[in-house]
Amino acid sequence: MRKKLFVISILLITFLTNSYSQNLVVKSVSLQPSDQTAIKQPVVTANGDTCALIKIKLNLEGLQFTNNTQYVGDVKYENGEYLLYKSVYISKSISYQHPNYLPGVIDLSEYGYRKLKGGKTYLVTMEAPVAKIGKSIVAIKVQPTSANVTFDGKLADMSDDGIYEFPVGAGTYRYVVQSPDFISKSGAVTIEEDATKTLSVRLIPITHKVDVSCNISHAHVFVDNIDYGKVGKLSLPQGDHHVRVQADGFIDEERTVAINNSTQQITFQLKKNENRIDIHAIPITIISTSKNIYKNNKKLEGWTSGSPVKFMPGEYMLSTDRGKTKIIKVENTPFEVVL
């Protein structure tokens, strides 16, 4: 029996050693006499006592405080600091844990603060040592490729191709993908030892309703060479974009437009091209067993397999009923697509 307990103990120690990188480090604890946060944003206990505010400065998200009797209200993380309100009449200890570090306790009395004062702010400065490189790899592919990736609380260096690789140990890690003019996306990934996990994160553009008007009602609107359909009220992506309007037999009109909340209408006036007729539409033949074909997620009207359909020059995503997709680029020459 003792032998079994000894083996279990060894296995438990090994598990804990492999599951966490190392200890978080408390660098300093100090009273902040000039910080008025605890007075301007007071929190009181059920007995009506004003709490002390403990600010824990740590450039690491995901820290959890395991005993809610040690603080009052919710713990917030703002600008690299955890804000924790504490009754002055209970224990001076604060327990914490993080999936990538050993759990620990901050005992304020060890730093000379045996008695806290209500309405005062105390600053705890902590440091997260760089985790030891593990044997597992988390790869994140992002779209757009210029998006920024924050992994495990740290901003990654910019990638040329939008592919980020992170050597890690076994554990759970949080990530945030951000890019101007796109909706940010965050999540968590859990990985085991000696494993590889790949995530694909495609950000959705922030869009605004814009009325694109034109003297030619059947003209098409292209944003960065992507067909957004006929002129009218359209959902266009936020930011500075190249907008082009074109119609068969007319000269294109194009310009760079800053699209934002206040962009309500864009007006175009196309002029007749007297010398060339039908200069834009290119016949494209799509061969597929699918019942329907979709162009940029909209049903392609008038399509039958093997019969040409006219496309304006630009980039398009074609898809089938079963979700098979293909990106095509239409220029000046007809071609065939098999889906």
Side-chain angles (χ1 to χ4, degrees):
M1 182 65 180
R2 288 182 178 178
K3 185 176 181 181
K4 286 183 179 180
L5 289 174
F6 175 77
V7 172
I8 292 172
S9 299
I10 293 296
L11 290 174
L12 181 59
I13 292 171
T14 302
F15 170 78
L16 289 173
T17 302
N18 292 333
S19 298
Y20 300 93
S21 300
Q22 46 196 313
N23 287 304
L24 294 171
V25 179
V26 178
K27 303 292 289 185
S28 64
V29 178
S30 60
L31 175 65
Q32 304 292 296
S34 60
D35 191 322
Q36 301 295 306
T37 308
I39 296 175
K40 293 180 179 179
Q41 303 173 21
V43 171
V44 297
T45 67
N47 296 326
D49 300 317
T50 301
C51 293
L53 172 60
I54 312 298
K55 287 187 176 180
I56 300 175
K57 187 175 182 179
L58 177 63
N59 187 25
L60 177 69
E61 293 187 59
L63 197 66
Q64 296 181 341
F65 300 91
T66 52
N67 188 343
N68 59 11
T69 62
Q70 297 174 344
Y71 58 90
V72 179
D74 297 326
V75 177
K76 297 180 180 179
Y77 186 63
E78 299 175 351
N79 302 318
E81 292 181 338
Y82 291 89
L83 276 60
L84 181 149
Y85 285 88
K86 191 172 181 61
S87 169
V88 299
Y89 296 111
I90 60 175
S91 168
K92 306 305 177 290
S93 297
I94 304 170
S95 303
Y96 64 83
Q97 65 180 23
H98 190 277
N100 302 323
Y101 293 86
L102 285 165
V105 176
I106 305 169
D107 189 344
L108 300 176
S109 63
E110 292 182 358
Y111 297 87
Y113 298 100
R114 299 182 180 276
K115 185 176 181 180
L116 301 179
K117 296 181 180 180
K120 298 294 184 181
T121 300
Y122 299 79
L123 178 64
V124 178
T125 303
M126 297 184 71
E127 185 178 85
V130 177
K132 298 176 182 178
I133 295 177
K135 296 181 179 180
S136 300
I137 297 289
V138 173
I140 302 179
K141 299 179 181 180
V142 301
Q143 187 66 241
T145 57
S146 58
N148 292 320
V149 176
T150 300
F151 186 81
D152 196 27
K154 301 177 183 64
L155 180 65
D157 292 334
M158 185 64 72
S159 165
D160 293 331
D161 55 5
I163 301 176
Y164 296 80
E165 291 189 353
F166 303 97
V168 295
T172 298
Y173 302 88
R174 292 198 60 80
Y175 63 86
V176 180
V177 181
Q178 299 172 302
S179 185
D181 304 320
F182 288 81
I183 300 172
S184 300
K185 190 172 183 179
S186 61
V189 55
T190 300
I191 191 167
E192 299 177 351
E193 201 68 49
D194 298 321
T196 300
K197 185 165 286 190
T198 301
L199 304 175
S200 293
V201 180
R202 179 183 290 271
L203 298 184
I204 299 173
I206 298 170
T207 59
H208 299 285
K209 291 288 185 182
V210 180
D211 186 5
V212 183
S213 63
C214 180
N215 60 318
I216 308 301
S217 61
H218 63 271
H220 271 240
V221 178
F222 288 78
V223 179
D224 299 332
N225 211 32
I226 296 175
D227 187 358
Y228 274 75
K230 292 182 181 179
V231 292
K233 291 186 178 179
L234 302 173
S235 292
L236 302 185
Q238 177 174 290
D240 293 340
H241 295 279
H242 179 264
V243 180
R244 182 177 82 251
V245 172
Q246 61 184 45
D248 291 343
F250 291 82
I251 299 172
D252 296 357
E253 185 178 345
E254 52 191 304
R255 68 186 76 141
T256 299
V257 179
I259 298 171
N260 50 49
N261 310 358
S262 60
T263 309
Q264 297 178 354
Q265 186 170 27
I266 310 172
T267 302
F268 291 86
Q269 190 78 17
L270 300 187
K271 296 180 180 179
K272 186 77 174 178
N273 189 315
E274 302 294 346
N275 301 320
R276 300 174 64 187
I277 300 174
D278 198 25
I279 60 175
H280 292 303
I282 305 298
I284 306 299
T285 302
I286 305 171
I287 299 174
S288 175
T289 58
S290 176
K291 182 179 178 181
N292 297 298
I293 293 294
Y294 301 89
K295 180 179 75 172
N296 295 340
N297 296 319
K298 296 179 181 179
K299 184 178 177 181
L300 183 58
E301 300 295 342
W303 169 82
T304 56
S305 183
S307 297
V309 180
K310 286 190 175 182
F311 280 70
M312 305 292 268
E315 291 185 2
Y316 303 90
M317 182 181 74
L318 300 181
S319 55
T320 67
D321 288 323
R322 294 187 176 182
K324 186 177 180 181
T325 63
K326 182 174 288 187
I327 303 296
I328 65 169
K329 186 174 183 179
V330 179
E331 295 179 332
N332 301 315
T333 307
F335 58 91
E336 184 179 279
V337 180
V338 179
L339 270 174

